[in-house]
Amino acid sequence: MTVGAEMHALVERMYPLCRSITGNGVRRTLEIVGEYLPLWTHEVPTGTQVLDWTVPREWNIAGAHITGPDGARVVDFADSNLHVVSYSVPVSATMSLAELREHLHTLPEQPSLIPYRTSYYAPDWGFCLAHETLDALPEGQYTVHIDSTVEDGHLTYAEYVVPGAVTDEVIVSCHVCHPSLANDNLAGIAVATFLARELAERSPYYTYRFLFVPGTIGSITWLARNAERINRIKHGLVLACAGDSGPLTYKRSRRGDAGIDRVMRYVLEESGREHSIVDFSPYGYDERQFCSPGFNLGVGCLTRTPYAAYPEYHTSADNPGFVSPDALADTLATCREAFAVLDRNRRYVNTSPYGEPQLGRRGLYDSLGGRSDAKQAQLALLWVLNLSDGDHTLLDVAERSGLPFDAVAAAAQALLGAGLLKE
Amino acid sequence: MTVGAEMHALVERMYPLCRSITGNGVRRTLEIVGEYLPLWTHEVPTGTQVLDWTVPREWNIAGAHITGPDGARVVDFADSNLHVVSYSVPVSATMSLAELREHLHTLPEQPSLIPYRTSYYAPDWGFCLAHETLDALPEGQYTVHIDSTVEDGHLTYAEYVVPGAVTDEVIVSCHVCHPSLANDNLAGIAVATFLARELAERSPYYTYRFLFVPGTIGSITWLARNAERINRIKHGLVLACAGDSGPLTYKRSRRGDAGIDRVMRYVLEESGREHSIVDFSPYGYDERQFCSPGFNLGVGCLTRTPYAAYPEYHTSADNPGFVSPDALADTLATCREAFAVLDRNRRYVNTSPYGEPQLGRRGLYDSLGGRSDAKQAQLALLWVLNLSDGDHTLLDVAERSGLPFDAVAAAAQALLGAGLLKE
Amino acid sequence: MTVGAEMHALVERMYPLCRSITGNGVRRTLEIVGEYLPLWTHEVPTGTQVLDWTVPREWNIAGAHITGPDGARVVDFADSNLHVVSYSVPVSATMSLAELREHLHTLPEQPSLIPYRTSYYAPDWGFCLAHETLDALPEGQYTVHIDSTVEDGHLTYAEYVVPGAVTDEVIVSCHVCHPSLANDNLAGIAVATFLARELAERSPYYTYRFLFVPGTIGSITWLARNAERINRIKHGLVLACAGDSGPLTYKRSRRGDAGIDRVMRYVLEESGREHSIVDFSPYGYDERQFCSPGFNLGVGCLTRTPYAAYPEYHTSADNPGFVSPDALADTLATCREAFAVLDRNRRYVNTSPYGEPQLGRRGLYDSLGGRSDAKQAQLALLWVLNLSDGDHTLLDVAERSGLPFDAVAAAAQALLGAGLLKE
């Protein structure tokens, strides 16, 4: 089974669960991820102050339906958990179609699809349904029933840490709050899970921290509870919409030229993959929080088709058939390649900066001079020595020299070994 | 009567007066402007040291003519005040045509036009006339008569101030020293006058100071007498050639990226007007003085066809027919639009910069999430919050977000009201 | 005899000598250059530590040949000094063709040319020959003889200094270590020699120091012995490949925007010469050493066809016929023009920076104002005054104003004379 197929199987397994920003759907999702990774799961009580926000009451739902004038169920939560507006308060009532319509949400321009709607912070209830279903409803009395609870409880999120050689961190964050929506964001969860597993098999330089958090309130909660860690976060990536068939899109951090921005651009361009790079904007996913002006972290967002830019977005058409094993595997490979650069992309200082050091007596240079076919490895040595002034990163060297990053990184290793570079 | 027609009427009324850098023509011009605005007029005595310069003696002229061999007046100041070189010393003499020619100025390539010439600082006299008139002069003896005075007196200029919420100032300057030349600069005087009237009806943030000054020596005199005010000048605009039919031209300040430079570019581009933006150069109008390296103020220059770039420039063809009500009105509207942006273009600081503040509980956010059609007003709130770090202006926000400045400014007002921004 | 022909004659005269990084060939070359310039020649003993390097033993050679199975000389150093790998240790031996081949270097793709090879730091011996000669060698026993010495001695280099008004220096460096190769670098030596002669006839502002040094080890030796002088080096130029028929190529310093980089770009563009400007890279000629990160001097490299970019490079085809008097003269003229700008390209401070100074009373301005044909000289005065704030150089003024550098420099002289500028 390819890694793409494994990730797709994980998406399919998580798909039926009814997630929201709190509740048992999130807990069950994290238990499944926990089968792949030893997650550290946190439960934060309702009412906890987190930055400018307060952890809300916990929402859970057992079932919901609308019964028509003829007694038949015309909408049933059992068919799709998108049918109920997330955080709907419990209700049991009979009303006319006109009254009911105030609580119904459809997509008139996509009449066969069920929309996804939430009302986290304004107590309300509602149903989402296909517009063509709505059109077919006869006049008459309808009974509605939502068997939900909105009660003091907890907000649930999880972390997984791959320890590195240094305590400086790279964070990878994905939102786990959406119900039956495959690309947004079970695909992101799957890619993060498999990326974490791969990194754990290596001994990375950075410490990599994976966050599985409800959108907005979850990342805000994590940030509020990790104030002392913020300064250690050097880079980060939000993963979302990671499995559709569109080309990759990297959205830059607010800084625009952070290390992760440089690395993602380099890797996407060098790889030859079709891709787009777009500027930061303060909407989308949890990069909004990491890139708020007080934090201003170097955190970008990698998607395939971005936030809200595909017609299946936030509808019942964002199902497991909308994501593919190949796309999931390609997103994972891109992350793998980017982190392979990021993890080696450091600044060094030439310890012999006055004139070129004599490479020949250190066995680092072809002794027979005068040949015009200078080799790439030798060029890389010269470039790394020349630009290692404490200001330039190895990626700067690769970009300025036109040499592959791998050749530059290998030259740096050789020079470190010869004592000609120091950190 | 449209505002354009009103401005054109003002141009026509000022046109016959014989202005120079001193004298009664300037005084009378400022009296006329004083009917529109309560001007504060200054009289600075001859001999006053102003920066590197000295206020010159005052020049006045009652009449002047050349009489030909047959006793007929071939050139008469009464026909056009351009006929006499400005600051001509008094003369009464008879001489041959050859001797007279040394004092005659024509435009051989524009043979029907009278040129405009001055000799402010080198005592001299002369006449300007159409080249075709010169060509028709027979040999013989000519008598010349210039009934002028060059005597100790005063340099006259005026100011008008629209007080603002702060004492930081925006200056608007126009030169009032040219005789019968309509576009250069009666048009600029008219636009400045009506712009000042409009601003006085509002309560602007900045204090707006309008300067009606003779070119070069006038602005130098003002600068010399207002040394303590210079640091309060945050922006400025020189208005000239404001009424011809050409497209608008904005000439940047010496800084090139001053606030006024950014605002003018934004407004000209957003408005869809045909326009040019050109770099600063140390010739043209009084921006030369405001942008001298010691002051280096953020003062640009707005014209239609710029300085010396139209064939009617500094000739008798620059008459009221050369300027139009529509062009005057368009220049005024451009200034109005630019100052509307400039006056609101400030830097704010997000008071809740760690993560996004919860807009919902402050009534600033649509409570029903999950909809893809995020509204412009909500985007503007997010952009202003994200970029309000004390570095970015609202214009920076508008340009980076692509949102209209008005939407951004409205968002800033809402956030100030909610305590989420501070100055 | 044109200066181009004189330089070409110098190239032809130096061509037969067998130069290397040490030895009598270098001494004899410097003696010839010494007939044109009073050189200061240095002899640095073998074993001297210079930066990360050690001055090597001195190499000299009296003769070398290979005798074939039939007793005929198949390769003879007397025919071309390229035939022996530079720094070949002495050898006298008989061996099979197969054994001999290990010590033979050819260019299979340029079968009629002798390559140039060196083995400075790895004791070895070898012959270079045309590939078609190699192909024609019959099987059999060969005797090889190299009558060379590699012994303690000296490294030889020379300097020539043109004293300037200030002790700040411009260095011009050329390598003198290549044997019979005309473009690389007898052409560079010839241009440097004639450039030095010309400069000595003027009284330049900067002190100009010409370095005639063996490549790499020579510039490193000079840098090691002149540590206290480094801070005085403001600009520099490495001259190489100065005589081929290709267009000029300027390679920027590591800084990329050093004074010499700006000047060379300006002069090459203004002159209308076909040319290329390329970024710094840490291979090529001695700019590698001057631009190592510890020194990071503003030293660029001027060539015609650059390092290793022509098929004759480092082969017997790089002979005096490959360089032309016209190309040598054009390179010299380019240097002359560039140094004429560089030598005057200073920053001044306007002593009357508040408003424009009154140029008229200082005789610097046309007194009759109002004319549209402002003259270039007057524009230059205004531009120099406006930008002389201690930050802008005269070249900045020329580039921003679009005025010729000569006009700008003349304006600066006039303003210095009037006390309106100071250094």
Side-chain angles (χ1 to χ4, degrees), chain B residues 59-67 83-85 87-95 99-100 103-104 123-127 142-150:
Chain B
W59 182 68
N60 283 292
I61 182 165
H65 56 261
I66 303 173
T67 308
H83 273 317
V84 175
V85 169
Y87 260 72
S88 281
V89 296
V91 65
S92 235
T94 302
M95 61 190 70
E99 286 171 298
L100 179 59
H103 294 272
L104 299 185
D124 200 356
W125 64 267
F127 285 86
Y142 287 79
T143 61
V144 297
H145 181 73
I146 298 179
D147 182 11
S148 67
T149 58
V150 185

Side-chain angles (χ1 to χ4, degrees), chain C residues 21-71:
Chain C
I21 55 173
T22 63
N24 293 323
V26 173
R27 285 191 190 92
R28 180 64 193 129
T29 299
L30 297 177
E31 283 170 12
I32 293 172
V33 172
E35 297 175 19
Y36 294 78
L37 301 171
L39 289 183
W40 179 24
T41 301
H42 303 259
E43 296 277 353
V44 184
T46 296
T48 303
Q49 185 71 20
V50 286
L51 303 179
D52 189 62
W53 300 61
T54 305
V55 171
R57 290 194 289 170
E58 181 177 328
W59 182 67
N60 284 290
I61 181 165
H65 56 261
I66 303 174
T67 308
D70 63 357

Side-chain angles (χ1 to χ4, degrees), chain A residues 353 355-356 358 361-362 386, chain C residues 52-53 254 288-289 292 294:
Chain A
E356 290 173 5
Q358 196 181 7
R361 70 173 149 88
R362 294 176 174 92
N386 190 270
Chain C
D52 189 62
W53 300 61
R254 181 180 183 272
R288 296 162 65 152
Q289 310 308 328
S292 57

